Structures are given as C-alpha cells and as structure tokens.
Amino acid sequence: MPLSKSHAVFIVGLLLAIAAWPAHAHKINMFAFAEGDEVFVEGYFTDGKKPKHSPVLVYNAAGDILLEGQTDEEGAFTFPLPASAPIRITLNAGQGHLAEYELSAEDLGLDAPGASPLPSSPAANGQQPSTTLASGLSDEQLQAMIRKAVGQSLRPVMRSLSELKEQRSFSDIIGGIGIIMGIGGIFLYYKARKMLAEAKSAERK
Amino acid sequence: MHISEGILSTPVWVAGYAGAAALAAVTMRKMDMEEIPKISVITAVFFVASLIKIPLGPASIHLILNGLAGIVLGWRAFPAIMLGIILQAIIFGHGGITVIGINTLMLGGGALVAYMVWQLRHRFTINRRELIFGALAGAAGTISSGIVLALALVTTGEAFNAIAATVLAAHLPIMFIEGAVVGVAAQFLLKVKPEILAGHQTKGG
C-alpha cells in the first residue's frame, strides 16, 4: 500500500507532537500552602504569564465564602491562616480560566487539635513551657519566625512541583493518539462486520 | 480556548452536554467507512494542536485548528472535536469533565461555522480561492468559538459586550495565525490530495 496523504498528515501531526514535548497549553494553574500564620497562594499560566489582579475566593468546608481578595502584580495573594479546615481556594483569571486548590487540615498545620498554633517541641514537653532565648524572643515567636522563613523559601520548590505536575509527558500524547486510532478501529470493525453480513445475505439470495 | 470547571452554573453545563449530544447525533449520521480513518487523523491533529506552543512576544499561544477540522471533515468535524475535547480533558486536564459539553459546542460549533464559510468558495471563481477561503474559514472558526465562549460567560453575570471585547481581543492574534495556517493547509491539500477536502468537487462532476 503506497503512503497516502492522510498517512502523511498523521506523520506530520506526530512530528509536531514530538516538537511540542514537553508541552504546556494555555491553562491557569495555582498552588497554595501554609506559611507560618498565613496562607500563600500563587497562580500562573502555563505559558509563564501571571494572573494580575484576579479575584481569589476562599471557601470553607460548607462552601461558604470565608474571604475574597485579589492577586498582586506577581499573581500572588496572601491571607491569614483560617481557623477551620479544609478550605477551597479558587482563582478566576477571566475568559473562562479558573483554577482551584484545596488545603486540608494537615496542609494548614491544624490537624493536631488543641496544639494550634504551634506544637511544643519534645524537649520542652513537660518542662518549662516557654523559655526565653538570648535574643529576647520567646520559643513561640522563634518557631513562628522559622515557619514563616521556611515557608517563604519553599515558594520556588512549590512552584516547580506544581509546574511538574502540570507538565504533559510524551507518553500522554502518544497514549491519546492511540485512543483516537483505537476508537476509529472499533468503528471500522463494526462497519466491516455489517458489510460482511450484508454481502453474505446477498450471496444466499 | 477551554472553559474551566467550576465557572459555569449547573444548568449551563448540563445544557452544554445536551446541545453537544444533539449536534453530535446529527453530524454523525450516515457515516461512511471510508471517512473513519480521515476523521481519526484529524481528531489526533486537533488533540495535539493545543500543546504546540507558538512564541508571541512575552507569552505564547497555541493553535486550535478547529477550522482545519471543518474544512477537511465538514459536518463530521463536530464528533471529531468532541472526542478530542474528551481526551484533552481526561489526559491533559484542559477544561474539565463537566464542561466537555460546552467546550465541544464552542470549538465544534466553530468548526461547523468554518465549514460553512469554506463551502461559500463554490460561488466564486477567483484565483487561489482555496487559500482565501481556507484562511477565512480558519479565522471564522476562532471568532465563532470566541463568541460562544463570551455567550457562555454571560451566564456567570458578566456583561456580554465587555466579555466579548476581551475574549475577541485576546484571540485576535490566534485568529490571524489560524487563518494563515488553515489557508496554507487548504492550498497544500488542494495540490497533493484535493479529495481530502470537505465539499471538494472534481471538475465536471
């Protein structure tokens, strides 16, 4: 069978798919995580643009709006740690682009009841509940500062993780094309069976 | 161009499913065996097109190619795009499961408009009419999808004029690129394999 033009189109499509890998579409993504006593939210388009001044809504478990805000120039938004969990955050980037993100009690560091906002360290357990350090900061203040600093330095890591999660692999693309060809094959099989059955009944006559 | 999940109210996306199912049923009637491989190939091209990044200034855009589906498949472009959108939603996370219907109406509807524009070429006897009408069909596919997108977003309470203006402005560069790509593709297919084009009539026939 000579190579038909539809085969050629298919091969071109396949080559384009390969050229596009690893590929992103124009899609809004977001991530959020607890940073000390605040929650940090950042949205981004897969092509690198930032959703500026886009409305952010935070919902509680019952679906009521806890608070609303807007992203800044960098597509980021920060709000105080809520008292209850889980929460659902949505970012509406306009033109039908909406991203959602859920944070559980564990994500927010609220899972140990009564321990909030900060669990005491094992060393301090049962001993002096609050020691004052040389800097004049209490144990709690120091822990809060550490949490905040660690949270802030985690931002690029969270961003990369989120981007990695959204990246489509070559096998995804080939898998999708395979499904399309497979469905085409099923249709053909069904049609061919019908044709054969018709041909047979015509022979008998 | 995909509407994300969670933006439209339930009646709207349910209506989207109903509309898409009805149009798919109509456009799939009396499908010939010979058409199936062609439909599969175009579905695959549409499926991967959204992943192909074209750099444009600081950001990038991706092709939609629903106009190309329209000029090659005619009415059959609608079921092809429906399958493409289902797989994009499942595999790439474009849009979402609930919005498959409305996204199919949006992009598949654009393909049908592109086909209608494409068919108008028979009324003209100008030079390079396939190039010109291919380009017009490609642009029409993008514009009409943009209009459906704006209409869908009106139901969320946005004013039609405002949202239509933003959507169309955002899709203006895509419209030109789609027009160029589909026009060139039409001219190319006319030379190498004219019978692959929808509504192609051999001379004298």
Side-chain angles (χ1 to χ4, degrees):
Chain A
M1 199 172 87
L3 186 77
S4 79
K5 287 302 179 293
S6 60
H7 286 107
V9 172
F10 176 60
I11 291 163
V12 168
L14 214 63
L15 289 175
L16 285 173
I18 294 164
W21 175 76
H24 293 299
H26 187 77
K27 181 173 173 253
I28 179 80
N29 293 318
M30 71 181 286
F31 63 92
F33 66 104
E35 219 174 61
D37 53 357
E38 288 182 321
V39 178
F40 177 77
V41 181
E42 191 179 288
Y44 60 95
F45 284 100
T46 35
D47 59 6
K49 273 200 287 190
K50 302 279 184 194
K52 296 173 187 171
H53 314 297
S54 299
V56 179
L57 291 175
V58 183
Y59 299 88
N60 64 11
D64 302 320
I65 296 173
L66 279 180
L67 63 101
E68 41 194 307
Q70 248 190 12
T71 56
D72 60 14
E73 290 288 321
E74 295 299 310
F77 176 64
T78 317
F79 62 92
L81 198 69
S84 68
I87 56 167
R88 192 166 64 87
I89 308 163
T90 65
L91 193 164
N92 191 334
Q95 294 185 46
H97 292 113
L98 183 102
E100 278 187 341
Y101 204 89
E102 278 190 35
L103 288 172
S104 66
E106 196 188 353
D107 295 332
L108 293 171
L110 301 170
D111 52 340
S116 77
L118 301 163
S120 52
S121 65
N125 244 351
Q127 296 174 14
Q128 266 180 295
S130 178
T131 49
T132 307
L133 299 170
S135 59
L137 291 166
S138 74
D139 214 10
E140 280 81 14
Q141 279 175 312
L142 190 66
Q143 283 200 31
M145 282 170 69
I146 292 172
R147 280 179 176 232
K148 191 146 186 98
V150 170
Q152 276 171 359
S153 47
L154 271 178
R155 282 182 193 179
V157 180
M158 296 300 287
R159 196 175 295 134
S160 306
L161 271 178
S162 168
E163 278 169 4
L164 202 64
K165 211 169 64 185
E166 291 303 324
Q167 198 158 304
R168 300 303 150 209
S169 71
F170 184 57
S171 52
D172 285 338
I173 298 167
I174 294 302
I177 295 172
I179 292 171
I180 293 166
M181 295 301 146
I183 291 172
I186 292 167
F187 264 103
L188 278 177
Y189 171 74
Y190 171 75
K191 292 263 178 191
R193 265 180 45 150
K194 239 168 94 177
M195 264 179 69
L196 279 175
E198 276 166 18
K200 264 187 190 165
S201 62
E203 251 173 51
R204 282 197 203 107
K205 275 176 194 167
Chain B
M1 199 192 302
H2 285 81
I3 298 178
S4 304
E5 208 146 23
I7 285 191
L8 302 174
S9 60
T10 308
V12 176
W13 64 254
V14 169
Y17 262 107
L23 262 176
V26 172
T27 52
M28 277 175 82
R29 282 172 66 201
K30 292 179 187 156
M31 201 183 280
D32 279 337
M33 212 165 155
E34 289 76 22
E35 292 179 89
I36 290 167
K38 193 167 94 171
I39 296 168
S40 304
V41 168
I42 295 297
T43 307
V45 170
F46 171 80
F47 169 71
V48 297
S50 68
L51 294 179
I52 297 160
K53 265 208 287 192
I54 298 165
L56 190 89
S60 68
I61 57 163
H62 67 80
L63 293 176
I64 306 167
L65 290 189
N66 57 346
L68 181 72
I71 71 158
V72 174
L73 300 180
W75 304 122
R76 309 285 191 234
F78 195 85
I81 282 174
M82 179 150 78
L83 177 58
I85 284 183
I86 292 169
L87 291 175
Q88 284 175 342
I90 296 170
I91 299 174
F92 300 148
H94 292 183
I97 305 297
T98 58
V99 282
I100 284 173
I102 194 83
N103 279 331
T104 302
L105 275 183
M106 177 171 83
L107 296 174
L112 297 183
V113 173
Y115 172 56
M116 290 186 256
V117 170
W118 172 242
Q119 288 298 72
L120 290 178
R121 75 192 186 286
H122 294 308
R123 300 188 184 177
F124 295 85
T125 47
I126 44 173
N127 283 337
R128 296 176 179 270
R129 66 171 194 196
E130 273 75 15
L131 178 75
I132 292 163
F133 278 88
L136 290 175
T142 308
I143 298 171
S144 35
S145 296
I147 291 168
V148 176
L149 171 63
L151 282 174
L153 291 178
V154 165
T155 64
T156 65
E158 300 196 49
F160 178 77
N161 286 345
I163 186 69
T166 9
V167 166
L168 291 181
H171 289 89
L172 215 58
I174 308 175
M175 185 193 87
F176 280 108
I177 296 171
E178 290 268 336
V181 169
V182 178
V184 170
Q187 182 78 1
F188 173 73
L189 290 172
L190 183 75
K191 276 195 187 131
V192 297
K193 195 156 174 90
E195 65 275 20
I196 201 174
L197 293 167
H200 182 77
Q201 289 156 354
T202 44
K203 270 179 193 145

